[in-house]
Amino acid sequence: MNYRKGKVLVYASSAALAMALFGGEAHAEEQAAKNNAPEIVVTAQFRSQKLQDVPIAITAVNSAMLEQRGATNIADIGSSAPNVTLRPAAASFGPSVVAYIRGVGQRDTNFALEPGVGLYIDDVYLPTMHGSLLNLVDLDRVEILRGPQGTLAGQNSIGGAIKLYSKKPDANPDAYLSATYGAYNRVEIRGGSNFTIAPDKLYMRLTGVGVHKDGYVTRYDYACTHPGSTVPSSVTGSSCKLGTEGGKDYVAGRAAFRWTPTSFLTADIAVDITRDNSEPTPSTLLYVGRNANPGSTLTGIASPPAAAYVLNGNVYGNATGSPFISYSPFGAYAQDTFSRSPYINYENYTDTTPRDGSAPWQAPLKAALNTWGISGTLSATLTPNLKLTSITAYRQFDGTYSTGDGSPLNPSLQANNIYNKQFSEELRLSAKFGDLANLTVGGFYFYKRSRYQARIELTTLNFIEDDSIPATTKAVFANADISPVRNLTVIGGIRYTDQSKTFYYGRFGVPGSSTGGAVPPSLAALNGLVGGFNGGRFDYRAALQYRFNDDVMGYAQFSTGFRGGGINPRPFFPAQALPHSPEKLNAYEVGLKTDLFDRRLRMNFSGFINKYTDILVTVASCPLPGVPAAPCSLPLNAGNATIKGLEAEMRLQPVPGLTVEASLAYLDFKYDSVSAAAVTSGIGTEDKGQYISPWQWSFAVQYDWSLGSMGTITPRVDVNHIDSFNRNANNVDAATGGKDIFGQVPGYTLVNARIAYQTAGKEWELAVEGRNLTDKLYYTDIFDNRGSTNSIQGTPAEPRTWAVTVKRRF
């Protein structure tokens, strides 16, 4: 199916391109207005440019597009961008997003590890994956830059960058208020408005959002739902229900000011605050009690003693599966005897009899995050061709989240606290030399201090962790484009980055434990240990851009990027406290951007080959001299690989009011070599990359049906598909050629729909939407914890949902 679709796309694009290259030039601006084609302006190269004029693979959507698609958080915007993976992280990593672009990214949220995709809000860098599951509130546009952005964005944008831009206040009132009610008691209020404080001088924009939504994974007490079980009970009343996971409760507000004291000076200041007191990330038990290695002795039995349960090779049930498992993507169907639902677990987040003899305790029943920030952007036009920009920002957050294994036996239970504060300053000086050249030079300073505290309870180890991680980045950069002849542009960029990061380990015993609160022996030498990373790096970009005519532009470029190095944040023995080097990537890319048939058809293509060096993976088995291979959670540089890919995006408006959008992406990963450390952990050249989906596609149809003076009805349908991908680094058995079914997340196809009615003056809007209309059971991620608890947890996405929204514009 994918092959035939690819052939049709190639044939259609070849014919359209031939007509454009050899046909006459169209009047682009007039036809854009005539055909109502959106012209999005982006700032990827430090200045405002039309999307089709930028020689970078960019997916850009404006606020209207976000609303039409029903997107409410950052994970929603990746489904229609080719080779982009944005999805909620597994519960063990807290409220965050997994971000991969073209097979490069990061899933682990620990502060010691750097993200692989740069995330920016109004050009302010967000350095942590914690808190990255951002709500899309009052945005002007979103830009997703695919491929390494080492010179334009800087460190940790090795896979690409995601840039969110808020609406700026101006004289236009642009006021609105919307209310939503939907499935799981979803209640959502959003609003915003501009205010003129001093005409032509000072404007303010206030926006706010409040959201409540019940959770869709239900927690039950196992002893209550299975009378006669020897599992201890956690309920005190008559109901077997303990609570839910996945519920949302947050409020957020933002105040933005724009001050224009003179015609050549503009100051933008914004303050935002979010109070998020949501429930724990939804998680269900997919697999439990199997041997980590076939034929070996079953290990990691949770207390109470295993003799209290029917084992037969399984901690919780018979050999074919577990009574806690409603559905497994690995082919085992062992229906739960109580609910027969895939959206339940028996997690109580309570340990009534801790194995270390300490007092009973309960982890917080939430995934909460409180964050606030202030930023200021100063733009000064020094001369008609010389502009100075300063971006200054301070942000901080603190959060609490808990994780378990989805069972009532608590073989693993964690209560996590996270803290981060950061300051950044960026200066840019941009010069324009007529139609000949544009030049931007600048500098960047960034400082953050992060802290991670947790009570961690594993099958054989209980302790308190308290780590501090300060980090500093300094960078200078330059980017220039020169047009020596008409239609030809030569582009060059360079950035030097100096990075410094320190990791202070804190390991303590649990107060009141049988050891008198002493640090567990294997961890004692880690307490007070200091590690880190220091290093510098040059990144480059060179590109050629040629405009064949007003409708067709082609480009070829070479670019580089890197992800910072660090040290293992989760050693269980001192010998595991090992450093890792930065990842590096060299990318070769060609692309074509077209607007054809009087701009009724927009088709953009890109093809790339990435040389990926010192790939960073985390392994659960790390044989080291003098220590056991497990428990282990070791980041290591696995080796080098080649990633190849193709991407296509299309927007068609064949007749007024009808819009068809589509995207298609192909991705191939192959190890060229693996390191000695990776080999000892079971990784070989036969293994595939993590979060690599070979095929991804999306298709959407929208029609604006005019009712004349009665208004407009706009139905829209979105279909998105993603192939299965591997979550684990070791995912192919070299001896048998078999795949790691335990670490593979199955692919899926989703269907969403929305129909909206607007009055003729667009003052009122009523919208009804349905998401996951086929009620597909799918998982956004899994957490393979066989190395320590012999279990695997899945993060199920929402089942079919609906919502009704009423919006009033003023």
Side-chain angles (χ1 to χ4, degrees):
M1 179 181 70
N2 291 327
Y3 173 70
R4 287 195 291 267
K5 287 185 177 180
K7 287 184 69 176
V8 171
L9 182 63
V10 170
Y11 292 151
S13 60
S14 299
L17 182 58
M19 293 179 66
L21 286 174
F22 297 103
E25 297 184 353
H27 300 287
E29 295 300 323
E30 295 178 5
Q31 293 301 333
K34 174 182 175 182
N35 295 315
N36 197 30
E39 191 60 74
I40 300 178
V41 175
V42 299
T43 56
Q45 296 188 129
F46 301 129
R47 71 181 193 277
S48 296
Q49 294 177 281
K50 296 174 185 176
L51 176 64
Q52 295 298 90
D53 291 337
V54 182
I56 299 174
I58 303 177
T59 298
V61 291
N62 58 26
S63 58
M65 294 176 177
L66 292 171
E67 186 173 16
Q68 291 162 359
R69 298 172 187 183
T72 59
N73 64 60
I74 193 173
D76 292 334
I77 65 178
S79 58
S80 58
N83 281 327
V84 174
T85 296
L86 297 173
R87 57 185 62 243
S92 298
F93 299 126
S96 60
V97 67
V98 173
Y100 277 74
I101 297 179
R102 293 180 173 177
V104 182
Q106 172 66 1
R107 73 168 187 268
D108 194 333
T109 59
N110 194 282
F111 293 125
L113 303 172
E114 304 293 333
V117 173
L119 183 59
Y120 296 79
I121 299 181
D122 294 328
D123 285 328
V124 175
Y125 176 54
L126 301 185
T128 74
M129 297 180 68
H130 284 298
S132 57
L133 193 59
L134 300 169
N135 302 303
L136 306 181
V137 181
D138 208 40
L139 291 181
D140 174 69
R141 69 186 188 280
V142 177
E143 301 176 15
I144 302 178
L145 284 63
R146 304 190 297 276
Q149 305 298 317
T151 59
L152 296 172
Q155 70 177 41
N156 305 331
S157 296
I158 180 174
I162 300 172
K163 297 189 174 186
L164 284 62
Y165 292 95
S166 306
K167 291 183 177 179
K168 297 295 188 289
D170 57 28
N172 179 10
D174 192 27
Y176 71 95
L177 182 65
S178 70
T180 300
Y181 182 78
Y184 300 101
N185 289 317
R186 175 185 172 187
V187 178
E188 187 169 325
I189 305 294
R190 295 172 180 261
S193 180
N194 288 330
F195 299 90
T196 299
I197 300 175
D200 299 325
K201 297 291 184 183
L202 182 60
Y203 305 97
M204 177 177 67
R205 183 171 183 83
L206 296 178
T207 56
V209 59
V211 174
H212 167 82
K213 191 175 186 180
D214 294 343
Y216 58 92
V217 169
T218 304
R219 298 187 297 114
Y220 289 103
D221 180 79
Y222 186 76
C224 181
T225 58
H226 296 74
S229 167
T230 56
V231 175
S233 177
S234 300
V235 299
T236 55
S238 58
S239 174
C240 294
K241 182 177 177 180
L242 297 175
T244 59
E245 294 178 342
K248 298 295 181 183
D249 271 296
Y250 65 84
V251 293
R254 184 175 185 270
F257 300 86
R258 168 160 284 192
W259 182 44
T260 55
T262 69
S263 60
F264 55 83
L265 184 65
T266 300
D268 287 298
I269 299 174
V271 181
D272 66 87
I273 185 170
T274 300
R275 292 291 178 262
D276 189 337
N277 197 38
S278 296
E279 293 179 343
T281 301
S283 180
T284 58
L285 197 58
L286 296 183
Y287 181 94
V288 66
R290 305 296 188 183
N291 296 338
N293 297 298
S296 66
T297 302
L298 185 66
T299 60
I301 303 297
S303 75
Y309 308 93
V310 178
L311 295 181
N312 271 339
N314 190 307
V315 176
Y316 304 122
N318 57 39
T320 61
S322 160
F324 298 146
I325 304 174
S326 319
Y327 165 81
S328 168
F330 318 122
Y333 290 82
Q335 295 291 341
D336 171 71
T337 56
F338 168 66
S339 71
R340 300 185 180 275
S341 167
Y343 300 101
I344 72 162
N345 68 38
Y346 294 93
E347 179 61 63
N348 52 40
Y349 294 102
T350 304
D351 193 353
T352 56
T353 56
R355 290 176 285 279
D356 61 2
S358 59
W361 69 287
Q362 178 173 317
L365 303 177
K366 57 184 178 181
L369 195 70
N370 300 319
T371 179
W372 73 273
I374 181 171
S375 64
T377 300
L378 182 68
S379 300
T381 303
L382 306 180
T383 72
N385 295 311
L386 190 63
K387 181 179 179 180
L388 177 67
T389 302
S390 170
I391 305 169
T392 309
Y394 176 83
R395 300 195 64 83
Q396 72 175 47
F397 68 74
D398 62 83
T400 299
Y401 67 96
S402 301
T403 62
D405 76 331
S407 82
L409 303 182
N410 297 312
S412 67
L413 183 63
Q414 295 186 25
N416 309 275
N417 296 297
I418 52 175
Y419 310 88
N420 184 76
K421 59 182 180 180
Q422 66 180 70
F423 170 81
S424 61
E425 170 63 34
E426 182 168 351
L427 283 174
R428 302 174 187 165
L429 184 64
S430 299
K432 181 176 177 61
F433 302 91
D435 294 330
L436 176 63
N438 293 278
L439 171 67
T440 298
V441 297
F444 176 72
Y445 173 81
F446 178 84
Y447 172 80
K448 76 177 179 76
R449 187 175 185 90
S450 307
R451 187 180 182 185
Y452 172 76
Q453 294 177 314
R455 177 169 178 172
I456 298 175
E457 183 172 287
L458 304 175
T459 52
T460 59
L461 199 62
N462 302 311
F463 61 98
I464 302 294
E465 183 171 345
D466 190 349
D467 302 326
S468 180
I469 311 100
T472 302
T473 297
K474 303 173 185 176
V476 291
F477 56 88
N479 191 80
D481 59 77
I482 303 172
S483 299
V485 297
R486 182 175 177 173
N487 296 329
L488 176 65
T489 303
V490 181
I491 302 169
I494 186 171
R495 179 185 289 251
Y496 176 76
T497 302
D498 180 78
Q499 183 188 42
S500 175
K501 178 167 55 179
T502 306
F503 196 99
Y504 297 92
Y505 291 92
R507 299 293 185 272
F508 306 95
V510 177
S513 65
S514 57
T515 61
V519 185
S522 67
L523 301 177
L526 287 167
N527 189 38
L529 186 67
V530 180
F533 172 80
N534 292 277
R537 159 84 178 181
F538 278 103
D539 279 304
Y540 307 92
R541 177 179 178 232
L544 288 176
Q545 174 183 358
Y546 187 76
R547 181 159 289 283
F548 296 95
N549 56 40
D550 285 351
D551 299 330
V552 181
M553 183 270 285
Y555 67 90
Q557 73 169 352
F558 168 79
S559 58
T560 71
F562 81 103
R563 178 154 73 107
I567 195 168
N568 181 13
R570 301 187 184 94
F572 296 94
F573 309 94
Q576 292 179 353
L578 299 174
H580 56 265
S581 300
E583 288 184 332
K584 299 174 284 292
L585 190 141
N586 293 340
Y588 304 85
E589 180 177 341
V590 294
L592 196 67
K593 296 190 174 186
T594 69
D595 280 315
L596 309 173
F597 308 118
D598 294 338
R599 301 201 69 185
R600 289 186 176 87
L601 174 64
R602 171 171 290 182
M603 299 187 72
N604 293 343
F605 307 90
S606 57
F608 57 89
I609 298 176
N610 291 345
K611 292 296 184 178
Y612 198 5
T613 306
D614 292 329
I615 300 170
L616 187 65
V617 302
T618 298
V619 297
S621 175
C622 46
L624 295 169
V627 297
C632 169
S633 181
L634 176 67
L636 57 81
N637 297 108
N640 307 326
T642 298
I643 303 177
K644 302 176 183 179
L646 297 171
E647 299 163 350
E649 293 180 283
M650 182 200 76
R651 181 181 177 91
L652 173 66
Q653 294 180 299
V655 296
L658 178 62
T659 302
V660 180
E661 298 171 322
S663 69
L664 178 67
Y666 171 74
L667 200 61
D668 176 74
F669 176 102
K670 182 173 179 56
Y671 272 111
D672 300 320
S673 62
V674 294
S675 65
V679 171
T680 61
S681 298
I683 299 174
T685 55
E686 70 280 358
D687 287 309
K688 304 299 182 182
Q690 296 170 287
Y691 295 89
I692 299 284
S693 295
W695 288 98
Q696 229 180 311
W697 56 264
S698 69
F699 182 81
V701 179
Q702 175 178 309
Y703 183 67
D704 297 324
W705 180 20
S706 176
L707 304 177
S709 61
M710 296 179 62
T712 304
I713 292 179
T714 304
R716 179 183 175 93
V717 176
D718 286 88
V719 184
N720 305 294
H721 171 83
I722 184 171
D723 279 358
S724 61
F725 59 87
N726 293 297
R727 185 264 183 197
N728 296 331
N730 181 4
N731 49 63
V732 176
D733 189 322
T736 65
K739 297 180 180 180
D740 172 27
I741 61 171
F742 298 101
Q744 190 170 84
V745 179
Y748 50 85
T749 302
L750 300 181
V751 181
N752 302 327
R754 183 177 187 266
I755 183 168
Y757 166 74
Q758 277 190 346
T759 56
K762 299 185 178 181
E763 297 92 351
W764 288 94
E765 180 178 25
L766 173 66
V768 179
E769 68 176 50
R771 302 182 69 83
N772 190 8
L773 291 180
T774 61
D775 205 20
K776 173 71 175 179
L777 172 62
Y778 69 102
Y779 294 83
T780 61
D781 208 347
I782 65 170
F783 183 69
D784 188 346
N785 206 23
R786 286 174 294 159
S788 58
T789 64
N790 287 305
S791 65
I792 298 175
Q793 292 76 39
T795 304
E798 284 187 327
R800 179 169 50 228
T801 60
W802 60 271
V804 179
T805 299
V806 177
K807 186 173 185 178
R808 175 69 163 96
R809 296 180 177 89
F810 302 92

